[in-house]
Amino acid sequence: MDGTPSLIAQVGQRMMAGFDGPRLDDKFISLVKKWKIGNVILFKWNVTDKEQLQELCEDIQRLVIQETGRPAFIAIDQEGGAVSRLSDDATRVPGAMAIAATGDPANAYSAGKITGLELRALGVNFNLSPVLDVNSNDANPVIGVRSYGERPETVIRYALPMMRGLDDSGTLSCGKHFPGHGDTSVDSHLALPVVDKTMDELRSVELAPFQAAVEAGIPAIMSSHIVFPRVDPGKPATLSRQILTGLLREEMGFQGLIMTDCLEMKAIQHTVGTVQGTVEAIKAGADLVLVSHTAALAADSAEAILRALESGELDPEEWEQSVERIAALKADYLNRPAPDPSIVGSDAHRRENLDLLGRTLTPIRMPENRFPPLGDRPYFAGCPVFRATQVSNLANDPLSFPVYMAEKLGGQAEVTPSNPTAEEIAAISERACGATSIVVGTYNGHLYPGQLELVNRLAELDAPVVAVALRNPYDLRSLSPNVWSLAAYEYTAQAFDAVANVLQGKTEALGKPSVTVLTN
């Protein structure tokens, strides 16, 4: 291997990598030692509880400082709601669309502040949030409730306070996914999406929140693996110099850190390939490239970047600017004092969060301004949580909406398939006969229509039916008009408790949807 250690160290500063499991493994340790990788991304599989996470972050910093002489960015996707990596003993705030349903941007600031304080207390210094995508396509399989809404002004109104809350906690924020992932019907984790919009169309919708965030001083922006053929017909945004440098740097005036989404995603891996993708992303204008999972791919990528640097394929002046940009952000944020770990999952944070969560519940259809009484034989139905998108956590959660609700409120639980067939719907409906009320939890039912067919079939029975959307509220759009409906935005125990309080009449559901659900 050619090259001086100083160049290798610079390559390592421009990379972020990850590993499996709750402890540093030998492959990752070797990667850091050989290639001086200076930054780490964590996922749900890296976290078991708050004490373990704090110890892991200490181990990461010890290793990276020993090998590079500088502290590491330790990043995580703690957006809240559907995309939360922290364990249950930490505070998990509601997601973006739920926060917007409260109607108060101060709640977005509170969510950012709580999240940032707890991350910093545990040793995580970089939150890959807020999502700046405008969810203008309700068939979007990857954004949905991760977006604040379907209009750019809604996203701006809530994303910027979230950013400020993170910043005031001492945690770096990162707006994503530039120039916008909201109008796709393809998950870039699985394939390469295309958004065929003109620059004027992009400026009026997708780019507006990013421009507002740039002007508000957001420290980092993440690129998307999406082709915008009217801007650059040949390349996804992550690999497009026209988009990252021409548009984001020069036209929009962003001077902060540009980082890529993971280059192991199939949108890149199955086209130019991860290794070449890291080189192309740097040439396009990215400062920090992510190879989030595979140590061997990260090592090959580091070697390819080093060769490109030594051969003159990478602009030396831009290279130096990126290295300095990373160093400046580390000097600023990573030296800020961390809160005491006792703040993580504290009673004060939990109370504030439960109050916030209660404000997110959104009635979509509520005849007579109330939900029906459950009676003495309620029937709860719904599918288990599943991995709706690759950005979600692995679907190994034993939590079940119908089982949880029946144990809490009494009655019968029916665990249904994620997309029940006509025969399964008929059998479930027969078993529901005689119930005094029926409550069905849906989970991405607008993309798995068997769930909605089940709700409508149950609505033909004598008992009142309540549908609760436990991810995207679009599920509630095509239900029979005699079905009561409620958007809860997340499949978690804390959301189930809040729903139970509403169904029992203990609390009111006061949220207002930030996306169009009913048009009549």
Side-chain angles (χ1 to χ4, degrees):
M1 179 181 62
D2 296 325
T4 64
S6 61
L7 282 185
I8 293 173
Q10 290 178 35
V11 171
Q13 285 299 307
R14 296 197 62 179
M15 295 188 67
M16 181 175 279
F19 53 92
D20 290 337
R23 290 176 294 278
L24 291 171
D25 59 35
D26 291 341
K27 290 181 180 179
F28 187 79
I29 292 170
S30 297
L31 173 70
V32 174
K33 287 186 173 182
K34 182 174 182 178
W35 287 106
K36 311 304 176 188
I37 302 301
N39 310 288
V40 177
I41 182 168
L42 300 177
F43 293 91
K44 181 65 176 176
W45 51 78
N46 299 121
V47 182
T48 58
D49 57 57
K50 60 185 180 182
E51 287 82 10
Q52 170 270 333
L53 177 56
Q54 184 182 7
E55 183 178 340
L56 177 61
C57 289
E58 290 171 355
D59 290 344
I60 290 169
Q61 291 294 8
R62 191 178 302 114
L63 173 66
V64 171
I65 291 171
Q66 173 186 304
E67 295 299 326
T68 72
R70 291 183 177 176
F73 285 142
I74 301 180
I76 202 166
D77 293 289
Q78 189 65 19
E79 299 171 11
V83 179
S84 297
R85 311 302 193 204
L86 294 182
S87 48
D88 289 340
D89 53 3
T91 307
R92 300 166 68 177
V93 301
M97 194 175 289
I99 292 288
T102 70
D104 186 355
N107 291 327
Y109 177 86
S110 296
K113 187 75 175 289
I114 290 171
T115 299
L117 287 172
E118 297 203 3
L119 289 176
R120 287 287 284 128
L122 294 171
V124 179
N125 50 45
F126 199 164
N127 192 18
L128 304 181
S129 180
V131 171
L132 296 174
D133 301 315
V134 180
N135 201 66
S136 55
N137 184 342
D138 58 20
N140 193 323
V142 66
I143 302 301
V145 289
R146 300 169 64 200
S147 168
Y148 289 99
E150 64 190 7
R151 299 179 182 276
E153 52 268 28
T154 303
V155 175
I156 293 168
R157 188 168 182 240
Y158 292 92
L160 297 193
M162 172 75 171
M163 177 197 81
R164 286 192 289 272
L166 288 167
D167 193 85
D168 286 351
S169 74
T171 303
L172 273 124
S173 60
C174 177
K176 59 189 186 184
H177 307 80
F178 185 82
H181 208 318
D183 193 14
T184 68
S185 56
V186 172
D187 185 345
S188 55
H189 294 82
L190 304 175
L192 183 61
V194 175
V195 174
D196 190 22
K197 289 189 171 183
T198 66
M199 274 303 304
D200 285 344
E201 290 173 321
L202 291 172
R203 286 190 185 99
S204 65
V205 179
E206 280 80 1
L207 293 178
F210 289 97
Q211 186 67 66
V214 168
E215 293 169 4
I218 196 164
I221 287 177
M222 176 183 285
S223 65
S224 65
H225 306 328
I226 300 173
V227 174
F228 294 82
R230 309 248 192 138
V231 183
D232 188 339
K235 296 181 178 180
T238 293
L239 310 182
S240 169
R241 186 166 181 86
Q242 193 162 337
I243 291 175
L244 296 191
T245 298
L247 177 58
L248 183 53
R249 282 267 184 246
E250 296 172 357
E251 181 178 328
M252 298 176 67
F254 181 57
Q255 299 302 311
L257 180 79
I258 298 176
M259 63 189 302
T260 71
D261 209 336
C262 178
L263 292 163
E264 291 189 63
M265 290 162 61
K266 290 179 173 59
I268 301 298
Q269 193 177 85
H270 289 182
T271 52
V272 300
T274 298
V275 174
Q276 184 60 29
T278 60
V279 175
E280 295 300 318
I282 289 173
K283 289 166 66 175
D287 300 300
L288 190 62
V289 292
L290 270 68
V291 183
S292 302
H293 307 292
T294 311
L297 273 177
D300 290 346
S301 298
E303 186 165 8
I305 294 167
L306 179 62
R307 287 176 178 170
L309 180 60
E310 291 177 325
S311 69
E313 186 180 352
L314 300 177
D315 183 280
E317 184 178 347
E318 289 187 1
W319 178 273
E320 185 177 347
Q321 289 172 350
S322 285
V323 171
E324 290 175 353
R325 193 174 286 122
I326 292 166
L329 274 179
K330 287 189 173 184
D332 182 358
Y333 283 85
L334 274 53
N335 288 322
R336 299 185 185 186
D340 189 276
S342 63
I343 200 173
V344 181
S346 63
D347 288 342
H349 276 185
R350 287 190 179 277
R351 284 194 300 271
E352 186 176 355
N353 188 54
L354 289 175
D355 178 65
L356 176 56
L357 183 73
R359 299 183 203 178
T360 69
L361 294 184
T362 307
I364 302 301
R365 182 175 275 122
M366 190 170 58
E368 302 175 14
N369 210 33
R370 62 174 181 83
F371 286 98
L374 293 173
D376 58 358
R377 296 187 309 281
Y379 180 93
F380 299 97
C383 64
V385 68
F386 55 89
R387 201 172 189 189
T389 164
Q390 292 295 107
V391 79
S392 298
N393 300 325
L394 294 173
N396 58 358
D397 194 333
L399 189 65
S400 165
F401 174 76
V403 172
Y404 189 98
M405 298 299 280
E407 289 177 350
K408 187 176 184 68
L409 301 176
Q412 183 178 348
E414 174 85 47
V415 180
T416 69
S418 59
N419 200 23
T421 64
E423 292 77 12
E424 290 166 335
I425 289 169
I428 294 167
S429 299
E430 187 172 338
R431 290 192 290 271
C433 287
T436 54
S437 62
I438 299 172
V439 180
V440 186
T442 68
Y443 189 78
N444 267 14
H446 68 301
L447 301 179
Y448 296 83
Q451 294 183 41
L452 308 187
E453 292 167 16
L454 171 63
V455 175
N456 287 335
R457 178 68 176 272
L458 291 170
E460 297 173 1
L461 302 178
D462 291 336
V465 175
V466 180
V468 183
L470 298 169
R471 191 173 172 105
N472 289 297
Y474 308 115
D475 294 5
L476 308 175
R477 179 176 289 166
S478 56
L479 299 181
S480 298
N482 64 324
V483 172
W484 283 259
S485 53
L486 178 70
Y489 303 102
E490 61 182 70
Y491 202 109
T492 62
Q494 63 183 14
F496 300 170
D497 287 339
V499 170
N501 286 337
V502 168
L503 294 179
Q504 292 175 293
K506 293 180 178 179
T507 58
E508 289 185 80
L510 300 174
K512 303 290 183 184
S514 66
V515 294
T516 303
V517 181
L518 299 181
T519 56
N520 54 348

